[in-house]
Amino acid sequence: MESAARDHSIHNCRSIEQPLLSPETAVDHDHHGKRIVDELDFFADNKGRLMEMRDQTVEVKEEGAHDHHGVGQEKQLPDVNTGLNLLTTYTSSDKSSMDDGTSSFHNMEDKHRTNELAVLQAELGRMSVENQRLRVMISQVNNNYQALQVQIVTLMQRQQNQKADHQTPEQHKMINNGSVVVEEKQMMNGFNHIVPRQFMDMGRAEKDELSQCSLEGCRSQDCSGSPPRNDIVESMECGKSTSHVLHRDLSGRISTTNGGEDSPDQEFQGWVPKKVSKMMSPRDVDQASSETMSMIKKARVSVRARSEASMISDGCQWRKYGQKMAKGNPCPRAYYRCTMGTGCPVRKQVQRCAEDRTILVTTYEGHHNHPLPPAAMAMASTTSAAASMLLSGSMPSADGLISSNSFLARSALPNCPPSLATLSASAPFPTVTLDLTRTPTSSEMPLGQPNQLPPSFPQNMMSVPQILGQALSSQSKFSVLDSFQGLDSATHSLADKVNAATAAITADPNFTAALVAAITSIVGNVHSNNNTNNNVTTRNNSDSNT
DNA sequence: CGAATTTGACCGGCGC
DNA sequence: GCGCCGGTCAAATTCG
Ligand SMILES: [Zn+2]
């Protein structure tokens, strides 16, 4: 048996998955002969390429109904998606143009067309903006939801604690685990009545102060400690039911596939120590877990960045719980779970890119169920935003897009857009990949070879249109950083700021670019600030990779 | 000595 | 049904 196991690990390690990639890349970019509209880039926006919604079409129609020979048809094509976009209709534009060509009128016509085009584009732009907005809203709702969940859990924990111990929250700094989880229930409460926006924000805000002050010893803030694990577990259970409902509402569309059994709780239960689960009626657990698990297809967000350290610093505390040889990669993949919260379900995988070992791929999964320090917040919110986006908006359609998309990516790649985000449906879970390999500090601009996306990544990638990229990304970056470091000046609470930042990110038409920018900044920031923990220390085992 | 990491065993899903 | 594989567990070991 051992041999078998070992065997396979070794096995894995050697094989390379190059074969994967050839497939769709070959796809003819322009079978139709025109611009290949990238179907997939739902993130992309304005450029007129967005094929998205019929809304636009409709509007256009009104404006120039008379000469749209082609338009009529267009309209039919597109009705696929409602505001969520994603299912883009590639050919629509093609068609229209083709038609025009055929009809070939005069200059007038031409002009007309141009006009029309302009109008269309404008409309498109507007639409896309709207679209983005909606998306943002969705993601925010998601976040809020999560925040609420967390709050509930926290509250419950607290209540239980109080009941049990009767002590003031300030006292429990203890924790049987010894992990230094400082939870600020207080703040939670305080913020509670405020707007529940992104929970993380709240956490962050307070945390910020806390973390900074804590050293000095601002007890006044009363950092309540994490309650004993058991309690938590129990409370979680309680929370479960509640969360269930909520979850459904929010993620309804996603969960629809599962029918009623979606198990939102997973987040809550996080990784329930097996023992616990066993202890509870195995049956229940079993059932629940199985159902839950099966559907789980959680969204994942992976970040590619250059780093020598075995881990990028994201402000969180992680504990390694496994390491394996991945199939197409000689480098081992490490599994970490978040230890900042007692039952925090967040996990991450860290692996070096096979071709370019300087690139470290970190994949995050899940949402934190506890307040985060500012540093961690940044990354967390960014990734969660990306994830929620993926889930809320596009997920379902993503698949389709993606597949068709690959060619697009292909074509786009050569240009080497500064930053890329990849969307992959191949895996059991939807995954967004943010590529920071080149962005960092702008030092590496030399262009060059697009090695960043090695062939091993057959999936689909979304290229960020350079165009939008700049303006927006910078904007979002700003906000992020701002909220991140500054925070002081504003009258608004930190939460607000962060919120704004996140919103900006999400809202950003060039979402991916924004994300990339944000993350990059985050990473960098953390790096400098918080060199203490994980990142540096991890270095030791790096040799293993070589 | 407790906490974190290491590492082989174990488990469940999936394709053949 | 079997083997592959990703992912996780947990005993053993190392670290601080
Ligand atoms: Zn966490």
Side-chain angles (χ1 to χ4, degrees), chain A residues 209-324:
Chain A
E209 291 187 0
L210 267 184
S211 58
Q212 293 187 350
C213 298
S214 62
L215 293 180
E216 297 178 344
C218 51
R219 295 296 157 168
S220 54
Q221 294 253 333
D222 106 330
C223 344
S224 48
S226 59
R229 226 184 224 177
N230 298 338
D231 289 1
I232 291 179
V233 174
E234 288 184 342
S235 61
M236 285 207 235
E237 299 249 10
C238 304
K240 248 184 191 174
S241 55
T242 330
S243 64
H244 213 298
V245 179
L246 287 177
H247 201 288
R248 247 202 220 149
D249 283 352
L250 285 181
S251 57
R253 76 163 44 179
I254 297 172
S255 48
T256 49
T257 43
N258 312 329
E261 53 192 38
D262 40 337
S263 56
D265 12 35
Q266 12 163 316
E267 298 214 342
F268 266 164
Q269 53 189 52
W271 57 292
V272 185
K274 262 189 184 169
K275 301 173 184 175
V276 177
S277 51
K278 278 180 185 172
M279 286 181 54
M280 352 199 315
S281 58
R283 211 186 288 154
D284 285 351
V285 176
D286 214 358
Q287 228 180 347
S289 66
S290 63
E291 294 177 6
T292 314
M293 294 285 155
S294 60
M295 74 158 275
I296 301 195
K297 318 202 163 183
K298 248 187 210 165
R300 288 184 174 185
V301 178
S302 66
V303 177
R304 294 164 56 83
R306 288 183 195 285
S307 170
E308 302 189 9
S310 58
M311 228 172 37
I312 61 174
S313 56
D314 47 22
C316 259
Q317 291 196 332
W318 304 94
R319 175 150 157 212
K320 192 174 187 177
Y321 67 89
Q323 175 166 317
K324 268 232 147 166

Side-chain angles (χ1 to χ4, degrees), chain A residues 342-362:
Chain A
T342 337
C344 185
V346 175
R347 283 173 202 166
K348 81 170 178 182
Q349 305 180 356
V350 178
Q351 183 171 35
R352 232 158 242 299
C353 183
E355 281 82 20
D356 185 347
R357 309 233 172 140
T358 65
I359 296 179
L360 199 63
V361 181
T362 306

Side-chain angles (χ1 to χ4, degrees), chain A residues 316-318 337-347 366-372 376 380:
Chain A
C316 259
Q317 291 196 332
W318 304 94
R337 84 166 42 102
C338 174
T339 57
M340 295 193 82
T342 337
C344 185
V346 175
R347 283 173 202 166
H367 294 275
H368 294 280
N369 66 354
H370 54 89
L372 293 166

Side-chain angles (χ1 to χ4, degrees), chain A residues 87 126 148 151 200 348 380-381 442 452 473 490-491 535:
Chain A
L87 284 199
R126 242 178 50 186
L148 284 177
Q151 285 194 10
M200 298 194 162
K348 81 170 178 182
S381 61
S442 71
Q452 50 204 63
S473 68
T491 21
N535 60 351

Side-chain angles (χ1 to χ4, degrees), chain A residues 30-50:
Chain A
D30 17 9
H31 30 296
H32 282 296
K34 252 25 187 304
R35 49 163 90 206
I36 349 169
V37 188
D38 4 300
E39 13 227 56
L40 87 122
D41 70 348
F42 39 91
F43 280 147
D45 13 4
N46 6 7
K47 279 182 130 239
R49 34 147 71 358
L50 273 208

